[in-house]
């Protein structure tokens, strides 16, 4: 073989080595994808190249992390990667505006190989971390102290034309990625004010059932203590129903809630006709009505779709707004009817009985309409 041929082969060998090195560099030991979604949630997917993972000492049982166990960890994956996955979770940080956040869910999976391509490389095991974006956050950054060298990192806001790709080295925080306003929940005080107004408007002027129910409460007794007892029972029950539905997903069908609310108004109107004082059974009815209305509030709240990160704030604001609306109805009734006429001898005959009869009639009409004409 001539010297020129040997030189050519040597150059080809060098070129192949460089290309191979670049290809391995392109893959990296881990490949990280961080995405931010409308609705205020984030997710980090870490795909792992099993051939290049470093050997690490076991500081925890395989699959255990400082945040809890990794979901979806099969015995087969745990045997090969359990220690590495635990260390990777513990020694990786996802931060918003420089403040680390705790992932709410941690899981791992390995998709099945594509059935239409028997020569495709086996899918990588991927670690998934996810949680809520803090309200008002501006930028986010992923970092890890696991000795994996340089790895590819892609950030994307939902709706972006293309992800932002970069290289990052272990131990470095890297350049923070700016978040789009589309994906970031607003500050909590803005959420509280917004949902306070929405809750108030859900009662005034839209909450005809609640307005009538509050008027029914008002008609039976003008004394402060019985009124406050009923309002407190309603407020507590509405809060419980709203929280139950918002966090657990529990819901009653509208075909059940609608007639039940109408029948409660019937019972309240009839009770005003038959009794002159607030009895324990009436407090129980008010509590039950509040619970039903809390479930109805939750349905309205779900339609508004507050981000999960500010759900508690939205829930509290909506609940307080609805309570403020109910108290406004009560205050107006007391100011325009109760205060000027409550001491008149004809007050019950001319105000309480006709108004309660009208409430019971309207509630009965709604009940029949909602049961037989859904």
């Amino acid at each position: 073989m001539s010297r020129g041929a040997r030189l050519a082969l040597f150059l080809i060998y060098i070129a192949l080595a460089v290309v191979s090195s670049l290809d391995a560099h392109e893959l990296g030991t881990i490949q990280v994808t961080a995405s931010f979604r409308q609705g205020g949630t984030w997710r980090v997917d870490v795909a792992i190249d099993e051939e290049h993972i470093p050997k690490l000492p076991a500081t925890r049982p395989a699959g255990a992390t400082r945040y809890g166990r990794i979901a979806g960890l099969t015995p087969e994956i745990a045997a090969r990667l359990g220690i590495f996955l635990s260390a990777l979770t513990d020694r990786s940080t996802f931060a918003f505006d420089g403040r680390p956040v705790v992932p709410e869910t941690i899981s791992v999976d390995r998709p099945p190989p594509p059935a239409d391509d028997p020569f495709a490389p086996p899918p990588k095991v991927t670690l998934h971390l996810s949680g809520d974006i803090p309200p008002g956050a501006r930028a986010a950054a992923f970092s890890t102290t696991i000795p994996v060298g340089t790895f590819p990192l892609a950030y994307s806001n939902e709706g972006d034309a293309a992800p932002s790709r970069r290289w990052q080295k272990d131990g470095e925080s890297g350049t923070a990625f700016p978040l789009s306003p589309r994906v970031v929940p607003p500050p909590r005080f803005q959420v509280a004010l917004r949902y306070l107004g929405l809750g108030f408007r859900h009662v005034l002027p839209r909450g005809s059932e609640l307005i009538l129910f509050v008027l029914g409460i008002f008609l039976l007794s003008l004394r402060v203590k019985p009124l406050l007892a009923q309002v407190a029972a309603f407020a507590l029950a509405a809060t419980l129903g709203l929280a139950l539905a918002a966090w657990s997903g529990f819901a009653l069908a509208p075909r059940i809630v609608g007639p039940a609310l109408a029948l409660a108004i019937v019972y309240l109107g009839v009770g005003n006709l038959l009794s002159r004082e607030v009895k324990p059974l009436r407090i129980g009815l008010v509590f039950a009505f509040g619970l039903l209305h809390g479930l109805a509030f939750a349905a309205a709240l779900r339609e508004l779709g507050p981000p999960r990160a500010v759900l508690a704030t939205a829930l509290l604001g909506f609940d307080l707004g609805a309570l403020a609306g109910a108290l406004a109805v009560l205050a107006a009734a007391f100011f325009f009817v109760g205060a000027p006429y409550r001491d008149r001898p004809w007050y019950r005959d001319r105000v309480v009985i006709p108004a309660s009869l009208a409430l019971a009639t309207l509630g009965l009409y709604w009940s029949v309409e909602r049961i037989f004409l859904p």
Side-chain angles (χ1 to χ4, degrees):
M1 183 182 292
S2 65
R3 179 180 298 179
R6 288 197 299 269
L7 179 60
L9 287 174
F10 176 74
L11 292 176
I12 292 173
Y13 173 78
I14 294 296
L16 289 174
V18 170
V19 170
S20 177
S21 175
L22 289 175
D23 185 59
H25 180 69
E26 179 67 27
L27 290 174
T29 303
I30 61 173
Q31 299 94 51
V32 182
T33 303
S35 56
F36 309 94
R37 303 171 182 177
Q38 296 180 23
T41 61
W42 61 268
R43 173 167 167 159
V44 171
D45 298 323
V46 185
I48 301 162
D49 184 353
E50 299 183 43
E51 296 182 3
H52 299 94
I53 62 171
K55 292 190 179 297
L56 301 172
T59 57
R60 297 180 190 272
T65 75
R66 56 179 170 164
Y67 309 115
R69 288 199 59 82
I70 301 174
L73 190 65
T74 64
E76 183 242 344
I77 296 177
R80 299 195 325 270
L81 292 172
I83 299 300
F84 179 78
L85 289 169
S86 296
L88 180 62
T89 304
D90 285 341
R91 295 169 59 179
S92 296
T93 302
F94 202 61
F96 290 90
D97 300 329
R99 294 186 292 273
V101 294
V102 175
E104 293 189 9
T105 62
I106 311 168
S107 64
V108 67
D109 67 13
R110 183 177 188 177
D116 57 348
D117 188 0
F119 300 103
K124 297 180 182 298
V125 172
T126 302
L127 177 70
H128 307 286
L129 309 173
S130 64
D132 295 328
I133 300 173
R138 296 174 179 237
F142 173 86
S143 62
T144 184
T145 59
I146 292 288
V148 292
T150 303
F151 58 91
L153 174 60
Y155 290 109
S156 65
N157 293 303
E158 185 176 356
D160 287 352
S164 172
R165 302 183 185 278
R166 59 192 71 180
W167 289 95
Q168 190 166 303
K169 189 176 181 181
D170 59 69
E172 296 178 350
S173 59
T175 303
F177 174 71
L179 301 175
S180 167
R182 298 189 305 270
V183 303
V184 179
R188 294 187 188 278
F189 75 93
Q190 292 183 9
V191 174
L193 289 177
R194 178 171 183 259
Y195 281 88
L196 189 71
L198 290 172
F200 188 89
R201 290 194 295 274
H202 190 69
V203 176
L204 283 174
R206 301 172 186 169
S208 54
E209 293 159 338
L210 183 55
I211 291 172
L212 293 181
F213 193 84
V214 170
L215 291 176
I217 290 175
F218 162 80
L219 288 171
L220 183 60
S221 175
L222 293 175
R223 290 181 298 163
V224 174
K225 187 174 180 180
L227 281 176
L228 290 181
Q230 294 174 86
V231 170
F234 173 83
L236 176 61
T239 302
L240 290 175
L242 185 55
L244 174 66
W247 268 294
S248 71
F250 176 79
L252 289 176
R255 60 185 179 83
I256 297 177
V257 175
L261 295 177
L263 288 171
I265 294 175
V266 174
Y267 183 89
L268 198 62
V270 172
N272 289 349
L273 296 174
L274 300 178
S275 176
R276 290 175 175 267
E277 60 182 16
V278 177
K279 297 181 179 179
L281 182 61
R282 185 183 177 97
I283 300 294
L285 172 71
V286 171
F287 186 90
F289 182 87
L291 199 60
L292 286 172
H293 228 285
L295 296 174
F297 285 163
L301 194 63
R302 277 194 294 270
E303 291 179 2
L304 297 172
R308 191 175 60 178
V310 292
L311 178 60
T313 303
L315 186 152
L316 181 61
F318 193 86
D319 191 33
L320 290 177
L323 179 59
L327 290 176
V329 173
L330 198 62
F334 188 84
F335 180 79
F336 289 107
V337 178
Y341 304 121
R342 60 180 175 176
D343 295 328
R344 302 294 176 89
W346 45 261
Y347 178 75
R348 178 172 174 80
D349 293 334
R350 297 184 184 180
V351 177
V352 176
I353 292 178
S356 297
L357 186 60
L359 285 179
T361 303
L362 183 56
L364 184 61
Y365 170 77
W366 279 346
S367 302
V368 173
E369 182 184 46
R370 293 172 184 179
I371 293 173
F372 298 104
L373 300 172

